[in-house]
Amino acid sequence: MSVSQGVMVVLRRDLHLAFRNRGDLINPLIFFMLVATLFPLGVGPDPDTLLVMGGGVIWVSALLANLLAMDSLFRSDFEDGSLEQLMLGPQPLWMIAMAKVISHWLVTGLPLTLLSPVLAIMFGLPVTALPAIVATLLLGTPLLSLIGAIGAGLTVGLRKGGILLSLLTLPLYIPVLIIGTGGIDAAVSEMVWSGHLMWQGVLLVLGVTFAPLAISASLRVSISG
Amino acid sequence: MKWTFFHRMSSPKWFYDFSGKCLPWVGVLALGCIATGLTWGLLFTPPDYLQGNSYRIIFLHVPSASLAMTVYVGLAITAGIGYIWKIKLADMAVSCLAPIGASFCALALITGSIWGKPTWGTWWVWDARLTSMLILLFLYLGLVALREAFDSKETASRACAILAMVGLVNIPIIKFSVDWWNTLHQGATIKMTERPSMALEMLVPLLVSIAGFYLFCLFVFLLRLRAEIISREQRTSWVRSLLGAKS
Amino acid sequence: MYFDSIYELLTMGGHGPYVWAAYGIGLSVLVWNLFTPIFQGRKTADAIRRNARREQLRHEQLQREGR
């Protein structure tokens, strides 16, 4: 079996598992909507305030939903020992990690992105800003998955990994959040937002380059340690 | 180049003996510099003509802020060295540096906030520097929490090393994006970045204080590392004979 | 000394509470940094000594029982 075939097998298996377990697929989305709903309830329904907050709220909710699903990224495979099996296989560990990250993104990041226009309209953001929201989330959520996977790899062997995982990864999410919301703000105030998108692209390239190394290193520590 | 030196230095026993010899000197120098710098700054410098006496906090704030950043970089580089060459001592150093850096980062934030109240009338502004410092504190706290979470100290320090390296790659990006965020949102009009060049009579005690803080950091780092070495090497004969616990 | 009286030193023209609070917190951070490793080192050293003594006692006991 070649390397790319191995990756495809892992990817297909993870997607199968996700689709068989509907809850895992839908719960992050419900969580995403729910967190975003809390903000108008907490701040008040004033349309002007909601317009200012909208982009940030959507991003923060996406970030939290992403984090919520991150805890289970490696956990079940770690607990039943299949992660160790995969590690012993001929495929390099980082490729397997990438396959898992891609499947995580396909299951959480992509649906979130597709759902975000609904939230944007509920927050009264102008229709002209919708492409910016979808585009920034489309480029930003893979990066969130990549960064989060590093933390997930480090905490997978711990019994109470969940809260620690958010403590480790949230500070690292900050640049993605700033650039993403910056792009949406620019689009809302009808300015050029392609620059933000390019910066997100730069960060994504950096993430794709370096995160696999860090993920596989962290998995090695968790498994052998 | 004698590589034997490098290897000898990374042996815990050799390091324990060597640091034991340096320790008193570093400690005396550190405490002397800190005492001199702080009393000088507190008692013998004239007040700032704009900020009055509240500027005296600078003799605490600047050293701890500078230390917080330097310690993180040092920690991440040590982590990298330890990870690549599998040096046990470097792993230990990482887990010793994290709480020290976190405490100085917190001190920089607290003193900055106390300084802000009489100067700008608020305890906190979402200024680029303060915000990046806060994020740095979170990075430190993440390291400390990760270290506490593992049962085995070896695994904990290797995990911390990876997190520290990831953090080091992220710090410039965080710094850049926070600066950018701050220029985008022009809400806060207070700028902390502009500081007129300092009078010599204020600069000298500040430099003494900075030197004292760095030496103090080195001192407590050595103390921590020695305690860590003892704890991890407790099964070896040299630690047992050192502690008079022969068996 | 720059200040004329102790009172002036304590109030610092209205900034006294801020300056002294900052210095107090600063000092406590320094003290914490200094004493944590010392106590920790002492605790581990004591634990190691205790373990060694226990091992030795058990060793002696085993020897006595063996005879």
Side-chain angles (χ1 to χ4, degrees):
Chain A
M1 197 174 7
S2 77
V3 169
S4 57
Q5 269 175 320
V7 171
M8 283 312 289
V9 167
V10 174
L11 186 59
R12 209 173 298 147
R13 167 180 165 274
D14 276 14
L15 288 178
H16 257 295
L17 284 175
F19 277 99
R20 195 165 298 166
N21 207 348
R22 290 284 155 72
D24 286 358
L25 198 61
I26 296 171
N27 288 355
L29 289 178
I30 300 175
F31 181 79
F32 177 56
M33 297 293 282
L34 195 58
V35 171
T37 314
L38 293 180
F39 280 88
L41 292 175
V43 181
D46 176 33
D48 291 337
T49 328
L50 290 185
L51 178 65
V52 174
M53 291 189 340
V57 170
I58 292 172
W59 258 94
V60 170
S61 317
L63 208 132
L64 293 176
N66 184 286
L67 203 59
L68 188 77
M70 194 55 83
D71 190 38
S72 57
L73 179 61
F74 299 120
R75 189 163 298 268
S76 64
D77 282 354
F78 177 77
E79 276 165 1
D80 65 12
S82 49
L83 198 60
E84 216 160 335
Q85 294 288 322
L86 287 172
M87 206 173 111
L88 293 172
Q91 281 77 35
L93 185 56
W94 64 267
M95 282 202 139
I96 290 156
M98 278 304 273
K100 294 190 91 59
V101 170
I102 291 168
S103 81
H104 173 267
W105 179 72
L106 287 175
V107 172
T108 55
L110 191 60
L112 288 187
T113 310
L114 297 179
L115 199 64
S116 59
V118 181
L119 274 182
I121 289 166
M122 283 165 72
F123 273 85
L125 294 174
V127 182
T128 47
L130 291 185
I133 294 168
V134 173
T136 51
L137 280 172
L138 204 60
L139 280 180
T141 44
L143 193 54
L144 296 182
S145 299
L146 281 168
I147 299 171
I150 303 173
L154 284 174
T155 54
V156 71
L158 301 169
R159 215 164 299 127
K160 285 179 188 165
I163 184 91
L164 186 63
L165 170 65
S166 42
L167 201 65
L168 302 184
T169 31
L170 279 177
L172 304 176
Y173 277 175
I174 288 169
V176 193
L177 171 74
I178 288 175
I179 296 177
T181 49
I184 296 177
D185 280 351
V188 168
S189 47
E190 288 172 354
M191 290 192 298
V192 186
W193 47 273
S194 56
H196 297 256
L197 218 56
M198 282 176 194
W199 276 112
Q200 275 201 315
V202 169
L203 289 188
L204 185 58
V205 169
L206 270 178
V208 169
T209 318
F210 290 113
L213 297 172
I215 298 169
S216 59
S218 64
L219 282 176
R220 278 218 175 81
V221 167
S222 285
I223 291 172
S224 62
Chain B
M1 191 78 182
K2 278 194 177 167
W3 286 101
T4 48
F5 174 73
F6 193 65
H7 280 286
R8 202 152 40 104
M9 225 179 93
S10 61
S11 130
K13 178 180 173 359
W14 183 88
F15 189 86
Y16 191 87
D17 293 341
F18 176 73
S19 63
K21 275 176 219 150
C22 306
L23 207 58
W25 298 100
V26 178
V28 167
L29 260 177
L31 294 180
C33 278
I34 287 184
T36 319
L38 291 190
T39 36
W40 191 348
L42 205 52
L43 303 181
F44 298 102
T45 52
D48 188 77
Y49 74 102
L50 269 180
Q51 304 183 2
N53 281 312
S54 67
Y55 94 97
R56 288 177 203 281
I57 297 173
I58 201 176
F59 301 108
L60 277 175
H61 177 73
V62 169
S64 45
S66 141
L67 205 54
M69 290 186 269
T70 317
V71 166
Y72 198 93
V73 175
L75 178 152
I77 292 173
T78 318
I81 292 173
Y83 190 79
I84 293 167
W85 283 289
K86 306 234 180 302
I87 297 173
K88 226 190 320 178
L89 192 65
D91 279 351
M92 293 184 204
V94 171
S95 48
C96 292
L97 277 170
I100 300 174
S103 71
F104 282 108
C105 197
L107 179 60
L109 280 171
I110 294 169
T111 51
S113 159
I114 292 175
W115 193 6
K117 182 64 183 162
T119 316
W120 311 299
T122 51
W123 293 103
W124 183 266
V125 283
W126 288 96
D127 151 274
R129 273 206 214 178
L130 280 175
T131 313
S132 340
M133 209 57 172
L134 185 64
I135 298 169
L136 184 64
L137 179 64
F138 287 139
L139 289 176
Y140 271 125
L141 293 180
L143 275 176
V144 173
L146 186 66
R147 183 193 164 206
E148 300 292 319
F150 283 94
D151 291 330
S152 137
K153 283 192 168 178
E154 276 78 17
T155 320
S157 45
R158 283 202 297 146
C160 280
I162 292 172
L163 187 66
M165 287 187 277
V166 172
L168 186 68
V169 173
N170 261 278
I171 278 181
I173 301 172
I174 292 175
K175 183 94 186 76
F176 159 77
S177 61
V178 168
D179 282 349
W180 191 31
W181 161 81
N182 201 47
T183 50
L184 278 182
H185 300 265
Q186 285 290 345
T189 46
I190 301 156
K191 274 257 157 63
M192 288 185 80
T193 41
E194 283 159 34
R195 193 176 299 290
S197 59
M198 229 182 208
L200 201 62
E201 52 196 337
M202 297 174 184
L203 188 63
V204 174
L206 181 61
L207 290 179
V208 173
S209 171
I210 290 176
F213 268 71
Y214 272 84
L215 284 167
F216 181 79
C217 176
L218 180 64
F219 181 60
V220 291
F221 165 61
L222 289 179
L223 281 179
R224 264 178 202 272
L225 190 53
R226 283 162 65 84
E228 184 87 11
I229 289 173
I230 291 287
S231 150
R232 290 219 201 161
E233 305 273 299
Q234 52 181 286
R235 309 216 167 276
T236 59
S237 56
W238 71 268
V239 169
R240 292 189 165 208
S241 63
L242 182 83
L243 294 174
K246 293 187 192 75
S247 62
Chain C
M1 191 155 106
Y2 172 77
F3 297 97
D4 294 329
S5 65
I6 297 290
Y7 177 76
E8 235 177 275
L9 175 65
L10 287 179
T11 53
M12 288 199 171
H15 289 154
Y18 301 111
V19 175
W20 289 112
Y23 273 79
I25 294 167
L27 204 65
S28 56
V29 167
L30 294 183
V31 168
W32 177 82
N33 264 318
L34 195 58
F35 283 103
T36 333
I38 293 178
F39 283 137
Q40 209 182 345
R42 229 172 254 175
K43 227 166 76 182
T44 32
D46 283 347
I48 293 167
R49 281 202 198 99
R50 217 180 306 125
N51 281 344
R53 213 175 302 139
R54 198 178 300 147
E55 264 172 43
Q56 203 176 357
L57 282 178
R58 180 173 297 165
H59 191 68
E60 283 169 10
Q61 198 181 359
L62 282 177
Q63 268 185 341
R64 242 179 285 136
E65 279 171 6
R67 270 171 209 166

